[in-house]
Amino acid sequence: MRLTILGGGGFRVPLVYGALLADRGEGGVTEVVLHDLDAGRLSAITRVLAEQAAPVAGAPAVTATTDLDEALRGADFVFSAIRVGGLEGRANDERVALAEGVIGQETVGAGGIAYGLRTVPVAVDIARRVARLAPDAWVINFTNPAGLVTEAMSRHLGDRVIGICDSPVGLGRRIARVLGVKNPAEAWIDYVGLNHLGWVRGLRVGGRDELPRLLADPALLSSFEEGKLFGADWLRELGAVPNEYLHYYYFNRETVLAYQRAERTRGAFLRDQQAGFYDGMTDPQAQALAAWERTRAEREATYMSENRETAGAGERDADDLSGGYEKVALALMRAIARDERTTLILNVRNRHTLSALDTDAVIEVPCLVDANGAHPVAVDPLPGHATGLVCSVKAVEREVLAAAESGSRATALKAFALHPLVDSVNVARRLVEGYTAVHPGLAYLV
Ligand code: G6P
Ligand code: MN
């Protein structure tokens, strides 16, 4: 079985490869094809993978190419984890937004829109090529903003593209842990929303909802990441545990201020940190895997640090540092390739799950997965405040998709202006000016 990884020179590729190494045997991936536009990044990551594979008998073979069509032909699965404009682009997304006093995170608010506007045309081109060159392949989209990008690709690939994110699983795992659930894998996590905009409303073990026990216990609430970020009182008022990215909404002023005051934004930090790693890999003597591990540990430890600082949340829990994104990807591939029926929280088309959205809107929801793909499970409706947020953000995403298709700058302006975290049409106008001035990838907007 052949897995093609787009963005194959990306920093998190060794996580995926590590998951494959731990899962050999019948029906598993035997060949990995890395595609990237940057040959230098490909060779750096290829070295890390070679060191990972060295002690493992029967490790999947790895090849690398800068030719997209060649990478796609013959693929059974395509993982798309690209970053259009690189980390310099991410840093610019943040900088331009913060100068206007709004959030510029890669998936939230103005930053998410700018990143989406750059990424959608590229993702659509990939989707068209997959439809032509590997029509039976399943596409797993990690590329952020993941919900929006998955929806763009689904217009060409239908249900053959599935978006993934590790934050809902991480959240479910943390809740299960504080509640002392013995086997977290058996817990049913009642979660729904859009990517990075969802809520856990219940956690059922053996048919019993354990979440009320957590919401009623201030000490338990204050003992895990989301409890510390949002505060016990707010979670109790909400009657749900929000995805950590909702911190940018519920504590918008504080997060904007914190990022404005930060010495470097997340994107700028990662740009410099990752450049150090990739530069180091040009030394033929370098220990590739060890350097990668060190860089990864530092990246994990500093994740959302500004948000945690404003909330006085302290350091991340050691159990939260191990990621999990590769596990979601592997679980999804296994379920499809081996017809191992399982439930995973994924980004798929709504169908009739949330009645406030149309059937083609991509949402994030528990899905039953098997050889036929991912099927959203029926869930309770969201409360009014959450439905309102989901609908406004989906409306913004639709403007981004329309702007990417038509190349209309006016439509792009509408996307920024309609976002709940952009507080004036004049701000939106300046954002369009600022972003088109710094991003060559937005030159198509006229
Ligand atoms: C979480 C999010 C991902 C994001 C990742 C890395 O897992 O769900 O969408 O890519 O964090 O964030 P970072 O700030 O380290 O790039
Ligand atoms: Mn994510």
Side-chain angles (χ1 to χ4, degrees):
M1 192 165 67
R2 181 187 294 181
L3 166 67
T4 291
I5 304 183
L6 309 181
F11 187 75
R12 287 187 288 176
V13 168
L15 290 174
V16 177
Y17 192 64
L20 299 178
L21 289 176
D23 181 63
R24 281 157 301 125
E26 200 64 23
V29 170
T30 48
E31 266 177 86
V32 175
V33 179
L34 307 179
H35 171 268
D36 206 286
L37 303 175
D38 183 331
R41 287 167 63 89
L42 275 179
S43 77
I45 292 301
T46 304
R47 280 181 64 185
V48 179
L49 304 195
E51 287 190 27
Q52 284 177 293
V56 183
V62 177
T63 54
T65 174
T66 53
D67 182 324
L68 179 56
D69 290 352
E70 182 190 317
L72 294 176
R73 271 188 214 104
D76 297 296
F77 284 93
V78 177
F79 281 14
S80 180
I82 60 171
R83 185 175 287 286
V84 179
L87 285 163
E88 181 65 31
R90 179 168 172 184
N92 284 331
D93 285 340
E94 295 165 335
R95 191 173 50 76
V96 170
L98 290 171
E100 285 300 331
V102 296
I103 209 77
Q105 207 277 335
E106 62 164 339
T107 62
V108 179
I113 296 171
Y115 189 28
L117 286 168
R118 287 206 298 291
T119 308
V120 165
V122 179
V124 164
D125 175 60
I126 291 170
R128 287 204 171 108
R129 285 171 197 256
V130 172
R132 189 156 42 84
L133 300 169
D136 294 331
W138 290 91
V139 178
I140 302 178
N141 179 57
F142 305 158
T143 301
N144 272 331
L148 166 67
V149 170
T150 302
E151 186 163 322
M153 297 182 90
S154 75
R155 293 181 175 182
H156 302 272
L157 293 166
D159 295 324
R160 289 230 155 226
V161 58
I162 298 168
I164 69 165
C165 175
D166 57 341
S167 63
V169 203
L171 173 55
R173 194 177 54 211
R174 283 190 284 280
I175 297 176
R177 194 165 63 219
V178 282
L179 282 167
V181 173
K182 296 237 164 42
N183 189 355
E186 272 166 30
W188 168 260
I189 305 159
D190 177 3
Y191 175 97
V192 74
L194 303 183
N195 178 237
H196 292 185
L197 193 87
W199 296 261
V200 170
R201 297 96 48 86
L203 187 128
R204 282 193 284 280
V205 185
R208 195 186 134 93
D209 186 6
E210 300 283 341
L211 194 66
R213 185 157 66 78
L214 172 63
L215 294 173
D217 187 332
L220 272 190
L221 277 175
S222 313
S223 70
F224 77 113
E225 181 79 8
E226 283 73 11
K228 292 179 202 166
L229 262 186
F230 294 102
D233 293 349
W234 181 235
L235 296 192
R236 213 173 24 250
E237 288 308 320
L238 276 176
V241 186
N243 184 298
E244 59 197 348
Y245 284 82
L246 274 150
H247 194 246
Y248 294 106
Y249 287 81
Y250 295 144
F251 294 88
N252 186 252
R253 279 189 188 212
E254 292 81 357
T255 51
V256 169
L257 257 180
Y259 279 89
Q260 282 175 329
R261 286 181 185 158
E263 193 191 320
R264 274 180 306 186
T265 57
R266 180 67 174 165
F269 166 75
L270 289 174
R271 175 197 61 204
D272 300 345
Q273 189 225 28
Q274 304 265 301
F277 166 76
Y278 285 98
D279 287 349
M281 286 305 102
T282 54
D283 170 4
Q285 302 302 318
Q287 306 272 307
L289 183 53
W292 177 80
E293 293 279 11
R294 271 196 310 278
T295 312
R296 182 177 90 88
E298 186 191 30
R299 181 177 187 164
E300 289 290 347
T302 52
Y303 174 67
M304 280 191 132
S305 60
E306 271 74 20
N307 303 64
R308 272 182 286 113
E309 218 171 289
T310 65
E315 307 271 284
R316 285 184 93 190
D317 209 287
D319 293 322
D320 294 335
L321 299 177
S322 55
Y325 123 119
E326 69 285 6
K327 295 195 187 88
V328 186
L330 184 70
L332 176 57
M333 279 205 305
R334 283 186 67 115
I336 293 176
R338 305 178 193 180
D339 200 17
E340 285 174 11
R341 185 168 259 250
T342 187
T343 309
L344 296 168
I345 299 173
L346 300 167
N347 288 269
V348 296
R349 292 195 286 190
N350 177 44
R351 298 181 170 104
H352 300 283
T353 316
L354 291 178
S355 59
L357 296 176
D358 59 69
T359 52
D360 291 340
V362 165
I363 63 168
E364 192 164 81
V365 62
C367 295
L368 273 180
V369 196
D370 59 20
N372 296 311
H375 314 278
V377 170
V379 293
D380 290 336
L382 283 165
H385 65 84
T387 299
L389 216 45
V390 161
C391 289
S392 354
V393 172
K394 184 52 76 181
V396 168
E397 290 185 1
R398 291 282 165 81
E399 298 299 339
V400 172
L401 294 175
E405 204 178 320
S406 64
S408 159
R409 199 179 171 98
T411 309
L413 168 69
K414 207 169 159 196
F416 286 105
L418 292 176
H419 198 286
L421 298 182
V422 174
D423 56 349
S424 161
V425 176
N426 286 327
V427 170
R429 289 196 179 108
R430 292 195 293 270
L431 288 170
V432 173
E433 292 307 313
Y435 282 132
T436 48
V438 293
H439 289 310
L442 293 183
Y444 74 91
L445 291 172
V446 289

